[in-house]
Amino acid sequence: MPLVENGKVAEDRYVKVDDDASLPERVPIIVSAKRFLAEADTLIGRDGSLGVAWPNDRRVNEIKPWLGHLALIALHFPKFRDGRAYSQARQLRETLKFGGTLRATGDVLRDQFGFLLRAGFDSFEVKKPADAAAFAKSVERFTVVYQPSADGRIPALRRRRQSLSAAKASETV
Amino acid sequence: MYVYDAFDRTLVTERVAEFRDQVARRLSGELGEEEFKPLRLMNGVYLQLHAYMLRTAIPYGTLSSEQMRMLAYVARKYDRGYGHFTTRQNIQYHWIKLAELPDAMADLASVGMHGMQTSGNCVRNITTDQWAGAAPDEIEDPRVWAELIRQHVTLHPEFSFMPRKFKIAVGTARRDRAALRIHDMALQMHRNADGETGFEVMVGGGLGRTPFLAQTIKPFLAKRDVLSYVEAVLRTYNQFGRRDNIYKARIKILVHELGPEAFAKEVDAEWATIKEGALALDDEAVTDIVGRFSYPHYETLADNPTELTQARKADREFAVWLDNSVANHKVAGYAIVTLSLKPEGGTPGDATAEQMQTIADLADHYSFGEIRVGHEQNLVLPHVAQRDLFAVWQALRDIGIAVPNVNLISDIISCPGLDYCNLANARSIPIAQEITRRFHDLDRQRNLGRLHVNISGCINACGHHHVGHIGILGVEKNGQEFYQITIGGKADENATLGSLIGPAVPYAQVADVVEDIATAYLALRERPEELFIDTVKRAGVEPFRERVYATR
Amino acid sequence: MTSPLEQKKIKVTGPVIVTANRAADGAVIYRAADGSWATTLDGAVIVTNAEAARTLMAEAANDDLGAVGPYVAPVTVTGGHVRPGNLRELIRQGGPTIALPLPLGC
């Protein structure tokens, strides 16, 4: 499963650690939500970046107290049709102001890249290598968006008004 | 009507380019059907019994003549010369080839039309009153709000993979002509004691296997909060709607299982985090959208001009049509004209390319270039000057869409059924056709009065049979087509679900049963003015059951 | 007529065929003996037991490029003639049972 970050295939710096495995030293790790909640203090006190894999059927509010200590949150798409993680991503980015890496995992396919980016994801465990290679191309497809979202792109409603006031400004000059 | 600008057009053409690429990858084998299916659904492309079906969105049922001409062109060029107008104000083409779809979609995109949001687990076409902008009893034009919401939910990154589809309706009139309470979410405009206008928000309506009427979760939502509140409802549904069982995945189940109060609380908690954010609507945002709607430059005319009164006196057939198909307009001297797509023996809601072409021309000459599609599968010319009504009627009669049966028993609402649809258990169209043949006598129809017959070929209820005055549901029993009959349903502001009158009857008996129900009504009504639906309410289902099943 | 598209278990109580829709244009097609797809029912290979039906289905399902949504459908065979085995298949074979709208003047 190739990882895509910054528009291209990338090395995964993170090590996924099983619930019963010992913690490797200093490397960035990703643990399950279950392990995180059970050993939060130990994990946070550890020297090395910390990521947690959060299931898509738990409220992200639960993880709010520790957001400042997390370098990465991995959210899950059991099937691409199960879109709960989009909501989780937006809540993390826009309401809870999470600034770390937000990774999409699971059934991550090319035709969802645009939505994933808009929802605030910036790291992608892509199911198919061919899709990973096509990432950059597939996200330039949509230059107009209608609604504000986590990616900060200006929605059409505001762009219209901006161009209208720019036109007005140049009229009066 | 809303005029697409460069931004809107860009979004649609980019979408067509994406779909063209997806089709190419499908036909080359790079994409399998399992991955392709949700992608084609997002553009309104279904696979039916005989062919692919393209559903093209007609946002809140409003069409320009230019768009209607393109619908005719697509019907001729890519299909078999006709299209079907649906109970959600969209159009369907039943015979399109996958390989030709990108071209058809490019043609439609050239006039701002598309199939986005007509399928898939996203927000679908936002529907409203087909008389919007012309109805005397509306507070303001609901289409402005439908358009604001439409743009907001189109290709929404968070809400494209919800548990199931989501249907929204908007109403601003006293009478509900949009069947608000059978929608997942409905917004009904009210004026409060201070004279401010805002929306009552209802959620959890829907027909199908477990029909529910929507319940009010917010009695008065300020206009500025519409988008943020809609967002909060969708987010709550996206996160907590059931995904374990396709038959329990609509929001109506979630609302029912949580209870409306608990559901409303969840929504409010989410809403609190986004209410004052980017989605708060300021006056400028609303003015901008309103400014994008072009409205007719009405002439100053008087009601009942001599052209009209004289024609009415001279031609009885015209007078009959006037009384049946023409409604009052909010502007003096104008009228709202309904075009019946329910000819005797025809398929409810179908129109040929020639008919569409002529309607487009009539719209240009007589209705400021505007046409509407109603959920009852008829069309509307919304702004006809009363002095032109005779000329319009003559032209409509020439193409067979001036049958004065609007709201009468032969004005049937029907899904395509097993003749076309993959999901169907039984046929619906031939049932509708036979009923129109039995009741072809217009005097008999007028005597029966307003009587809505709704037919669905399966439990998915696309014909809205639950809310028909007479509802007919096709089922399968031992390989045979059988039909359950309900009576007493209503789709208006007093929405009600119909009641079963007895065991299902076989295909050959359905029209007989409808005749027996009609006969029973005539025997039971207290006076001629008592409508069928009111007789059912007063007398109950039992007297009808007795009469219909006496010999069955 | 209940949609057979969600067939999980294949039950064979008489002669059956495998049918699907052609990917390119959605036309009704029938699995033939040589692994191709026929456009008429008489070109379909008929099997009479569940094992054979499952094999046929597996092969058909592999042909994702040619055919969409294959499933097992009943047929009746009388005097050498094969006919659709239920109303749904009759409609798929013959088209809608209603007249399609005709252009004016036809």
Side-chain angles (χ1 to χ4, degrees), chain A residues 14-34:
Chain A
Y14 283 81
V15 171
K16 293 190 188 81
V17 182
D18 288 338
D19 283 358
D20 48 9
S22 59
L23 303 173
E25 294 197 6
R26 274 187 233 105
V27 295
I29 57 170
I30 301 177
V31 297
S32 72
K34 183 168 176 236

Side-chain angles (χ1 to χ4, degrees), chain B residues 311-344:
Chain B
R312 178 197 265 282
K313 260 189 253 161
D315 193 322
R316 187 178 176 259
E317 220 189 312
F318 173 60
V320 164
W321 175 82
L322 264 183
D323 288 338
N324 173 265
S325 304
V326 178
N328 292 333
H329 195 287
K330 69 180 182 190
V331 174
Y334 285 85
I336 304 173
V337 177
T338 300
L339 284 51
S340 166
L341 295 183
K342 319 289 177 71
E344 183 186 331

Side-chain angles (χ1 to χ4, degrees), chain A residues 86-125:
Chain A
Y86 292 106
S87 289
Q88 291 179 314
R90 288 195 70 201
Q91 286 169 324
L92 281 167
R93 286 294 193 215
E94 297 172 60
T95 307
L96 301 177
K97 310 290 186 211
F98 176 66
T101 301
L102 208 52
R103 181 177 289 188
T105 69
D107 198 16
V108 177
L109 306 174
R110 178 205 289 220
D111 299 281
Q112 284 83 52
F113 290 159
F115 290 141
L116 291 166
L117 273 174
R118 298 215 66 218
F121 288 95
D122 51 5
S123 172
F124 308 85
E125 252 178 42

